[in-house]
Amino acid sequence: MQRNKEKKSMEKMGESNQCKRKLRVCVATCNRADYSKLAPIMSGIKSHPEDFELEVVVLGSHLIDDYGNTFRMIEQDDFDIGSKLHTIVRGEDEAAMVESVGLALVKLPDVIQRLKPDILVVHGDRFDALALATAAALMNIRILHLEGGEVSGTIDDSIRHAISKLAHYHACCTRMAEQHLIAMCEDHSRILLAGCPSYDKLLLSHHREDYMDIIKSWLDDKVQEGDYIVALQHPVTTNIQHSVKIYGLMLDALISFNKKTLILFPNIDAGSKEMVRVMRRKGIEQHPNFRAVKHIPFEQFIQLVSHAGCMIGNSSCGVREAGAFGTPVINLGTRQTGRETGENVLHVRDADTHNKIYHALELQFGKRYPCSKIYGDGNAVPRILKFLRSIDLDEPLQKTFCFPPVKDPISQDIDHILETQSALAVDLGGTNLRVAIVCMRGTIVKKYSQPNPKTFEARMELILKMCNDAMRDAVGLNCRILGVGVSTGGRVNPQDGVVLHSTKLIQEWSSVDLRTPISDALHLPVWVDNDGNCAALAERKFGHGKGVENFVTVITGTGIGGGIIHHNELVHGSTFCAAELGHIMVSLEGPECMCGSRGCIEAYASGMALQREAKKLHDEDLLKVEGMDMKLSEPITAAHLISAAKMGNSKADAVLTKAATALGVGIINILHIVNPSQVILSGVLASYYQAPVQHVISQRALFSVQNIKVVTSDLEEPALLGAASMVLDYATRRIY
């Protein structure tokens, strides 16, 4: 009986293993561009032989000598090519493109029948990819479409959306693309917001030590980093003659600009033959400033783009990958104008003159921009592999469409698809340095805190370490980091991300560029602002200021600060010192302030001011009252003053009344100048000051503002939430 039980147990285990059979994945690549996106996925699939079987099909321009016979790089990457299909009908015109699609449809059925894949992975918007998706759909093969839902502005849009309608599953790159797919009635549970797979490779290999060797091998030994141009222009098939004209004007502008230029041949679309003729007519291949090439391996191309002085043309690489490095880009014509872009892209939509393109080169060449991760964060492949593993082959093959009303993605319960859009928030205080992962709804997912170092070098090193730790944790916490927001004391230029002048509490912190080193290290956009302004931004997004057009936030803590929201926008002022509310003078001969003046609100009502007055009373033995718990070794703080006043100490009460009156008078001045509809008190002293300040306003302010409410903030971490809101607001409302 025991042996029979063991036998049955072994049979069940065998059945279980059979049920969990490997997923047979066929990846089809048509050209050099789509291979850069597919190669990281192919490597990921190949590295998990226990879960997947990889089949590779090569077709299209990979197999054409004029386009570099790029199938060889697939072989060099140690992938076994299961099938090579010659599907291109030469001619490089509209008819040849149609004939190429037809030829591919003739040849693909035999390959699909032989390979019998469970799923076919198709990329992008090429006519070859449309043939692949059509053949697979008609032969009942499941399709995973990469980079669907995007908008570029040419016939590619129609092809891309057609493939999306044929595909069963989608791995898209941006939140906007995901929304487009949902609007196209695709099933939200089958859409993965993965990011661009090429980012997985380019972010890892960005900082190669041999980048100068690569630059010199493709240009010449005298070329310096940032002193050359990468040019890549493709035909627009809906207006071939115009795109050929733009190509000629671009070449003329590059010749006049007189910089070393690496120019790649256009792709195989209709019109490419005419563009090559223009190139040769102008003698580009023999020109000393130009190096014309058909193909560059992706890893080397990354180095060339990331260290270029500028990239010009209409390649999707300019609006996608180049943004990850902050490389300035000039996008010519309409081929990419519908895509989401970073700050690095300058559009010349109507590129109808040589002078216009030349002027764009003058504006862009040699600049550096904040790194952008609109299209990915380097973790696309693990998400896609997880998504593939979740596919249930027993599900019905027939697609279902989710017709309007469109489901709200926030309300969906999806356990393997959506990540939480989040920000890294950094708060630089006088005592502690804090970093937090903050999600879109204002929840602090995880928080890190360390003592703030005293030197600049140690402080920057700690900021980067804490941010990197948070980035690693964010992947496991299912959070997608959109950018970094920094809240710091002192006067800040938020446009450049520079701390102009620091407070005395933070040493070695003046004329400090925070944006550049953080952005370069993390490959993320970075925003920086004063802690008072951040508190106001936090209230606008998450607190009492939500939906309020005009309000003022006043921070009552160690010092006094704040921020002003006017017509829903933060007021910075001409020299970035607006809302220095703590330094509004309420007395000509008041106590000395840390700013060097006298009679400021901060000199009366800040935590430091109250601590100073508490020490005076203590030294005169006038602070402690009967029943008050105070240890001899305990340092005297503002809390002791407040406690003494509550227990009937008239001296302490007089100090606090004076402080509250000074704060109230200062806020009255704000009401009379800015006329907000609400005042929000934030910080550790806010709950104590709220009622007295409201009373002072009712007694001393003009009648028209006496009824303006003073409320206490409900936010526990206004500095961190405000820093996060800079990222979340900008990243989710970006429109180009």
Side-chain angles (χ1 to χ4, degrees):
M1 288 177 68
Q2 181 65 29
R3 282 198 298 268
N4 287 337
K5 286 181 180 178
E6 290 176 359
K7 185 177 179 181
K8 288 179 180 178
S9 176
M10 293 293 290
E11 287 174 354
K12 286 181 179 178
M13 287 176 65
E15 288 173 5
S16 175
N17 289 335
Q18 286 178 0
C19 290
K20 285 185 66 178
R21 69 177 180 83
K22 297 178 184 180
L23 189 73
R24 185 184 285 266
V25 182
C26 178
V27 179
T29 173
C30 310
N31 54 62
R32 67 191 181 196
D34 77 11
Y35 180 66
S36 69
K37 318 294 177 66
L38 293 168
I41 299 173
M42 292 160 65
S43 296
I45 292 171
K46 187 177 178 182
S47 66
H48 290 84
E50 71 281 3
D51 295 323
F52 306 107
E53 288 182 23
L54 174 64
E55 296 288 349
V56 180
V57 174
V58 173
L59 64 157
S61 60
H62 273 308
L63 302 169
I64 297 178
D65 183 61
D66 286 351
Y67 293 88
N69 277 328
T70 49
F71 73 91
R72 293 196 183 99
M73 68 181 176
I74 303 172
E75 295 175 335
Q76 290 167 3
D77 288 342
D78 201 26
F79 292 115
D80 295 326
I81 298 175
S83 293
K84 296 176 185 173
L85 296 180
H86 292 270
T87 57
I88 297 298
V89 176
R90 300 305 299 272
E92 286 80 20
D93 58 15
E94 296 95 328
M97 289 169 63
V98 177
E99 290 167 358
S100 297
V101 172
L103 183 57
L105 287 171
V106 170
K107 293 187 175 185
L108 280 168
D110 287 340
V111 174
I112 293 173
Q113 279 183 334
R114 176 168 56 82
L115 298 179
K116 293 184 171 59
D118 295 316
I119 190 161
L120 176 72
V121 179
V122 179
H123 170 269
D125 49 31
R126 307 292 301 143
F127 57 84
D128 325 69
L130 179 60
L132 283 162
T134 302
L138 291 173
M139 296 184 72
N140 292 324
I141 302 298
R142 299 169 194 269
I143 301 164
L144 170 63
H145 184 209
L146 303 180
E147 298 188 8
E150 295 182 18
V151 177
S152 54
T154 65
I155 189 65
D156 294 350
D157 286 343
S158 300
I159 295 174
R160 187 186 309 109
H161 301 332
I163 297 171
S164 292
K165 301 316 294 179
L166 292 167
H168 302 79
Y169 308 96
H170 311 272
C172 57
C173 297
T174 69
R175 182 71 64 182
M176 188 178 292
E178 179 193 40
Q179 294 297 323
H180 289 162
L181 287 169
I182 294 169
M184 290 163 61
C185 306
E186 293 300 308
D187 185 348
H188 190 224
S189 68
R190 295 187 172 200
I191 303 171
L192 169 68
L193 179 55
C196 183
S198 66
Y199 270 56
D200 290 30
K201 184 177 287 188
L202 68 87
L203 292 179
L204 282 175
S205 57
H206 172 35
H207 293 291
R208 277 177 54 164
E209 294 180 359
D210 63 344
Y211 71 90
M212 280 307 302
D213 295 334
I214 294 170
I215 292 170
K216 290 176 180 179
S217 69
W218 287 100
L219 290 154
D220 66 44
D221 290 338
K222 297 179 181 178
V223 174
Q224 298 299 312
E225 177 183 1
D227 198 35
Y228 62 92
I229 297 168
V230 175
L232 180 53
Q233 179 88 358
H234 299 303
V236 176
T237 56
T238 50
N239 195 344
I240 293 172
Q241 293 308 312
H242 184 62
S243 63
V244 172
K245 178 187 174 184
I246 291 176
Y247 189 67
L249 292 170
M250 178 190 77
L251 295 177
D252 290 339
L254 288 170
I255 292 169
S256 301
F257 200 66
N258 197 31
K259 288 288 180 183
K260 282 288 184 183
T261 301
L262 180 67
I263 185 165
L264 279 81
F265 277 64
N267 65 20
I268 202 167
D269 283 351
S272 60
K273 188 187 294 182
E274 288 87 344
M275 293 173 78
V276 173
R277 287 198 191 105
V278 171
M279 181 198 294
R280 286 174 175 157
R281 198 160 52 239
K282 293 181 182 290
I284 295 299
E285 289 170 293
Q286 291 77 40
H287 196 288
N289 272 352
F290 286 82
R291 172 82 189 278
V293 297
K294 295 176 181 177
H295 167 68
I296 302 173
F298 183 67
E299 292 83 355
Q300 297 183 36
F301 187 61
I302 289 169
Q303 303 302 315
L304 291 161
V305 170
S306 66
H307 297 285
C310 180
M311 185 174 184
I312 188 170
N314 64 3
S315 168
S316 62
C317 175
V319 299
R320 297 169 67 99
E321 284 83 356
F325 315 122
T327 302
V329 172
I330 300 167
N331 183 62
L332 301 178
T334 59
R335 189 170 184 264
Q336 305 293 345
T337 53
R339 289 195 192 271
E340 299 168 78
T341 69
E343 298 176 41
N344 63 311
V345 178
L346 174 64
H347 288 291
V348 186
R349 293 177 177 84
D350 189 15
D352 54 353
T353 67
H354 158 278
N355 287 340
K356 194 178 289 186
I357 300 172
Y358 186 89
H359 185 56
L361 284 165
E362 288 183 316
L363 288 173
Q364 286 287 78
F365 186 81
K367 280 189 176 181
R368 287 332 272 182
Y369 289 89
C371 301
S372 167
K373 283 191 180 178
I374 297 172
Y375 286 94
D377 61 1
N379 294 295
V381 172
R383 296 183 188 114
I384 291 170
L385 295 184
K386 183 179 177 183
F387 188 63
L388 285 170
R389 289 188 189 97
S390 73
I391 291 174
D392 183 0
L393 297 178
D394 293 327
E395 281 185 339
L397 183 66
Q398 177 59 50
K399 278 187 70 170
T400 57
F401 297 98
C402 300
F403 292 104
V406 176
K407 293 180 181 178
D408 181 0
I410 295 173
S411 66
Q412 301 300 306
D413 180 18
I414 299 170
D415 57 4
H416 65 281
I417 295 178
L418 279 180
E419 292 175 300
T420 305
Q421 283 187 311
S422 305
L424 276 192
V426 180
D427 176 33
L428 283 148
T431 306
N432 292 319
L433 171 57
R434 300 183 303 153
V435 173
I437 302 169
V438 182
C439 75
M440 187 64 72
R441 296 181 182 179
T443 303
I444 295 178
V445 180
K446 190 166 184 179
K447 187 164 60 176
Y448 312 76
S449 182
Q450 293 283 346
N452 195 347
K454 300 300 182 185
T455 65
F456 167 77
E457 290 80 7
R459 188 175 298 126
M460 288 304 305
E461 183 179 348
L462 183 58
I463 290 171
L464 295 178
K465 180 185 180 301
M466 292 174 72
C467 285
N468 275 310
D469 290 345
M471 291 280 288
R472 280 193 297 271
D473 292 345
V475 176
L477 293 167
N478 213 37
C479 294
R480 170 177 288 257
I481 303 299
L482 301 174
V484 182
V486 182
S487 166
T488 180
R491 188 163 65 96
V492 175
N493 177 347
Q495 297 170 3
D496 296 335
V498 174
V499 181
L500 300 173
H501 299 292
S502 177
T503 65
K504 292 182 180 179
L505 297 174
I506 309 177
Q507 300 169 13
E508 296 187 22
W509 206 239
S510 295
S511 301
V512 173
D513 178 3
L514 278 180
R515 173 180 291 166
T516 301
I518 298 175
S519 180
D520 286 350
L522 302 181
H523 300 287
L524 286 171
V526 176
W527 289 265
V528 186
D529 213 330
N530 166 270
D531 51 6
N533 288 335
C534 285
L537 291 174
E539 295 294 340
R540 184 181 70 176
K541 187 166 182 67
F542 304 114
H544 290 302
K546 196 170 185 178
V548 180
E549 189 175 4
N550 301 289
F551 69 90
V552 172
T553 297
V554 180
I555 303 174
T556 57
T558 306
I560 301 288
I564 299 170
I565 300 293
H566 185 63
H567 295 316
N568 294 315
E569 294 295 333
L570 188 63
V571 177
H572 283 104
S574 60
T575 57
F576 312 108
C577 67
E580 286 288 352
L581 309 181
H583 301 290
I584 294 175
M585 295 176 66
V586 293
S587 170
L588 295 178
E589 298 297 332
E592 187 176 355
C593 180
M594 286 186 71
C595 71
S597 186
R598 286 185 173 274
C600 299
I601 297 176
E602 188 168 292
Y604 285 101
S606 67
M608 288 191 298
L610 297 183
Q611 183 183 38
R612 181 192 67 225
E613 295 301 317
K615 286 180 178 178
K616 284 182 182 178
L617 292 176
H618 181 260
D619 292 344
E620 297 170 7
D621 201 23
L622 297 174
L623 181 62
K624 191 173 181 179
V625 295
E626 186 177 349
M628 186 173 171
D629 184 21
M630 184 185 296
K631 298 175 183 177
L632 291 174
S633 60
E634 189 178 14
I636 303 301
T637 66
H640 293 111
L641 189 73
I642 295 171
S643 178
K646 287 180 178 178
M647 298 181 74
N649 186 323
S650 59
K651 298 284 187 182
D653 186 64
V655 170
L656 289 172
T657 300
K658 190 174 185 180
T661 303
L663 180 61
V665 170
I667 290 175
I668 288 172
N669 290 333
I670 298 169
L671 299 182
H672 290 170
I673 296 168
V674 184
N675 193 24
S677 54
Q678 184 175 252
V679 176
I680 303 169
L681 295 183
S682 180
V684 293
L685 297 171
S687 59
Y688 176 80
Y689 279 137
Q690 188 269 332
V693 166
Q694 188 78 72
H695 178 73
V696 172
I697 292 172
S698 67
Q699 295 295 311
R700 298 195 178 201
L702 291 173
F703 177 76
S704 57
V705 297
Q706 285 180 3
N707 292 323
I708 290 175
K709 291 294 181 186
V710 178
V711 298
T712 305
S713 175
D714 295 330
L715 303 179
E716 293 184 6
E717 298 285 2
L720 287 172
L721 292 176
S725 76
M726 292 190 286
V727 178
L728 299 173
D729 279 349
Y730 183 83
T732 55
R733 74 181 182 187
R734 173 179 283 166
I735 298 172
Y736 289 87

